[in-house]
Amino acid sequence: MRLAAAPVHPMRIAALSLLFVGAALLATTAAHAGSVEVQFAAAEKFVDAGTSQWEEKENLRVLGSYLQVLGQKYLPADQRLKIEVTDVDLAGSVQMSRREATLIRTVKGRTDYPRITVRYTLQDARGQQLASGEEAIVDLDYAHGLPRMRDSSGLVYEKRMLDKWFRQRFVDQQAAG
């Protein structure tokens, strides 16, 4: 007596495919997971980290967390990156709202580009310095193209700029070197 195989539902195939893709992405992420330590030097003197003390604190938290995510995503597990942020100037400019008595950020894509100044040191597991420097990270063309990120925490222009800088500085250079 021969048993016939039960037909496989297309939705089940799609779910299994997503499961395998997710597992592959997780394995790729696990292959990296370097660490990033972020400090903000004299944040009260930053050009523009937000329109209020609360917003400044939250924006710096978001930027610091995002730099840590980039390290986990791109750096090998045996590397540590120390970043000291020395200045932040967010994309756009702050103006008083005509309708409400509140400050709003407007983005025009001209001279209101984002700029974050950093000092960094990249080390291997033994503490050997692999790279270091001080840079003003800017994206003069930030307003062109749609931000890829759909993120409720905002700062999409700054995050896109940091992602590009991080890949150029710590991924592409190491691959070339």
Side-chain angles (χ1 to χ4, degrees), residues 86-129:
T86 58
D87 197 11
V88 172
D89 189 358
L90 300 176
S93 59
V94 178
Q95 299 174 351
M96 184 62 75
S97 169
R98 291 182 183 158
R99 294 183 187 178
E100 304 168 16
T102 59
L103 296 173
I104 59 170
R105 182 171 302 278
T106 58
V107 176
K108 296 182 180 174
R110 297 183 189 133
T111 60
D112 57 353
Y113 51 84
R115 181 180 51 80
I116 299 174
T117 308
V118 298
R119 273 189 221 102
Y120 64 89
T121 303
L122 180 65
Q123 298 175 326
D124 65 15
R126 297 175 308 208
Q128 183 82 20
Q129 183 173 306

Side-chain angles (χ1 to χ4, degrees), residues 4 6 8 18-19 26 31 35 40-41 51 53 64 73 78 96 98-99 113-114 134 136 139 143 158 165 168 171:
V8 179
L18 283 174
L19 181 66
L26 187 59
S35 66
F40 296 93
T51 59
Q53 192 174 22
K73 182 176 179 180
D78 66 338
M96 184 62 75
R98 291 182 183 158
R99 294 183 187 178
Y113 51 84
E134 185 169 344
D139 184 1
E158 291 78 8
W165 171 77
Q168 286 175 342
V171 179

Side-chain angles (χ1 to χ4, degrees), residues 127-139:
Q128 183 82 20
Q129 183 173 306
L130 303 173
S132 67
E134 185 169 344
E135 292 184 53
I137 307 164
V138 298
D139 184 1

Side-chain angles (χ1 to χ4, degrees), residues 30-75:
H32 288 76
S35 66
V36 176
E37 176 187 319
V38 181
Q39 295 180 343
F40 296 93
E44 67 279 357
K45 295 181 181 178
F46 289 177
V47 171
D48 174 19
T51 59
S52 68
Q53 192 174 22
W54 176 88
E55 187 182 54
E56 288 176 8
K57 184 178 177 182
E58 180 61 14
N59 286 342
L60 296 181
R61 184 197 65 75
V62 168
L63 291 172
S65 294
Y66 191 69
L67 285 165
Q68 291 171 335
V69 166
L70 291 174
Q72 293 170 355
K73 182 176 179 180
Y74 293 120
L75 292 178

Side-chain angles (χ1 to χ4, degrees), residues 1-2 6 28 130 141:
M1 177 169 180
R2 195 172 169 121
T28 302
L130 303 173
D141 199 30

